Amino acid sequence: MAQQPPRNRQELYERIQSISKEEFVLEDMVRLGFWPARSGVPGDPRDEVHRKAELEKQIRALTSEQARLGNLEKLKKELRKKRLAESKARQKETKERRERERVARAEAWKARKAREILFLGRGVSGGLNHRTPEAPKLERQGLPRLETPEALAQALGLSVGQLRALCYARTVSTKTNYVRFALPKKTGGLRLISAPLPRLKAAQHWVLKNLLEKVPMHEAAHGFRPGRSIVSNARPHVGAAVVVNLDLKDFFPTVVYPRVKGFFVKLGYSEATATALSLLCTEPDMEEVELDGQRYFVAQGGRRLPQGAPTSPALTNLLCRRLDRRLKGAAGKLGFTYTRYADDLTFSVPRGGTGDVGKMLRLARFVIRHEGFFPHPEKTRVLRRGGQQEVTGVVVNDKPGVDRETLRRFRALLHQLEKSGPEGKKWNGSTDVIASVVGFANYVAMVDPTKGKAFQDKARALERKYGRKTVLPPRPKAPAAAQPGTATVAPTPPSSGTAAPGGPPKPEEPQEPNEPPKKKWWKLF
């Protein structure tokens, strides 16, 4: 097919540049008919023109390549530029790929966190991968399996995120799951109470009802058990020749997180579930700090059982099973009777017995220390028949009863109330004297039903006549908050985990109107 003639000058120049001038002239002559397309004559000038044009093209290419290769600096520059462009392209591709992978990992982690508990804080998350419980052991005890923390969250009616928030072990936080306040102790000073917030308290109640209450306790334990009381704790020691009372120092704070976790693992739960259960039931001491107008809660030391949690009393009873077993065995060999109400340990020698009190005390202190507790050095009492013998506030000389001096004062108060009414009168520090009188009458009836019946009748008559106050007594104030930038140190926990449980409240000297009433510590649960 004949070549089309150039339509303008630009096309003419481009055509001449693509071939040689002689070849263009020859093509134009052929197109115009001045030269045959193929003459068939050997040595046709047209073939020579084509051959010459091809050689000239090759020469130009070789000359250009020679010029390019001859300039090494320019060649290096071009190579560096090419490599830099390739490197930038690879970097961009790698960056985009890694960003896609990062987003995918983040989405996968977010989805996994929504359905699994994988981390609960430093120092407590090591066993969250161990999720195999001892199912036969749990079934024998009638306990729910709760194979994983996620199963625990479902049983509690919580989402995985809500359970994580309740369990997470934070060193510093702007929020807390407990309300802390101080109550005055009967022996002086303040007792720090950590009351869980409603959601945590509900979870702890579930653990108490569905787990802890199903595990049998030792028969010597009388505190915080259905059907047991300070009276059942005192009754085995009635009429004893000698009564020995010991107190455990820092009872609840002594029970730390690893010990609670070990207890749940021993029940048969997987380490992951035991970790979540232990974190629900423990809490470190917290120091409240205000900095730049923001309040922070800073953990002080390890986690331990808080006074105020519903699970703490039951856990201490269960963790003291071996202590109770060893002390009861030792007491039996030495001719003693043994019972325990929370941190109050009582040993007694039956009338006519010959128990060695010194040996019993030495052995009891050894066992107590070996079990991880500490006897209070200032709260050991040896009570003999010649004086008043008390066990957790109940007189046990001949039968369970309330001490005579307290009953005498109570009778005098009832007489004054019948004569002049409740105005200006108090009992046990409470300004609602009628409610206090009714409560104490019920306490006397529990200890000694014969005497208590008459007191109850009088107290109820006064209640019908005067009624009770509707205003609640003021709550004891916690220590004042610190100024911004300073720390507020929480009150030091009591040297003994409990006061003498069940002891009858005694009338006190008149107090200032703003002084809060004293409340028995075990009533907080």
Side-chain angles (χ1 to χ4, degrees), residues 194-447:
S194 299
L197 294 179
R199 179 175 289 175
L200 177 59
K201 188 174 183 179
Q204 291 174 343
H205 272 298
W206 188 94
V207 174
L208 175 64
K209 181 178 179 181
N210 295 276
L211 272 71
L212 303 180
E213 289 183 352
K214 293 184 178 181
V215 182
M217 301 178 185
H218 194 275
E219 61 178 6
H222 290 263
F224 316 108
R225 297 184 61 180
R228 303 287 184 95
S229 66
I230 56 173
V231 179
S232 67
N233 180 64
R235 193 170 286 122
H237 307 285
V238 172
V242 181
V243 174
V244 181
N245 292 320
L246 277 79
D247 219 52
L248 300 182
K249 184 179 180 181
D250 298 334
F251 187 46
F252 284 170
T254 302
V255 181
V256 292
Y257 165 80
R259 196 169 182 178
V260 178
K261 180 180 176 181
F263 165 75
F264 284 115
V265 170
K266 191 174 181 180
L267 287 182
Y269 288 106
S270 66
E271 192 172 354
T273 303
T275 298
L277 287 169
S278 305
L279 291 172
L280 278 177
C281 299
T282 58
E283 177 77 357
D285 293 335
M286 287 290 187
E287 183 175 345
E288 190 174 330
V289 177
E290 189 173 340
L291 180 62
D292 297 333
Q294 177 66 54
R295 185 174 59 170
Y296 297 92
F297 298 93
V298 183
Q300 303 293 309
R303 301 178 72 89
R304 56 191 67 194
L305 292 184
Q307 294 197 46
T311 49
S312 295
L315 279 170
T316 52
N317 274 341
L318 293 170
L319 288 168
C320 286
R321 286 183 298 178
R322 191 170 70 172
L323 171 70
D324 292 335
R325 186 169 62 250
R326 294 179 66 182
L327 289 178
K328 187 171 181 63
K333 290 180 181 179
L334 295 177
F336 284 78
T337 300
Y338 165 73
T339 62
R340 180 180 61 83
Y341 192 99
D343 64 343
D344 285 330
L345 282 59
T346 304
F347 302 87
S348 66
V349 181
R351 188 176 300 180
T354 57
D356 188 336
V357 174
K359 187 174 182 180
M360 184 71 253
L361 283 173
R362 288 193 297 271
L363 185 56
R365 288 167 179 159
F366 171 79
V367 173
I368 289 169
R369 291 191 180 94
H370 192 265
E371 291 296 322
F373 295 98
F374 304 95
H376 200 294
E378 300 176 1
K379 294 188 178 181
T380 299
R381 296 186 299 165
V382 178
L383 308 173
R384 302 186 182 275
R385 290 287 299 172
Q388 180 172 285
Q389 295 174 321
E390 289 186 1
V391 177
T392 53
V394 178
V395 178
V396 294
N397 287 71
D398 298 309
K399 64 177 183 177
V402 181
D403 68 279
R404 295 178 182 177
E405 178 62 21
T406 301
L407 290 180
R408 185 188 66 77
R409 293 181 181 179
F410 187 61
R411 288 191 188 95
L413 176 64
L414 291 176
H415 177 72
Q416 293 174 8
L417 290 172
E418 291 172 347
K419 185 177 179 180
S420 58
E423 289 299 325
K425 298 179 179 63
K426 294 182 182 180
W427 179 257
N428 195 34
S430 174
T431 56
D432 190 354
V433 67
I434 300 299
S436 298
V437 162
V438 172
F440 187 77
N442 292 334
Y443 165 75
V444 176
M446 178 183 69
V447 177

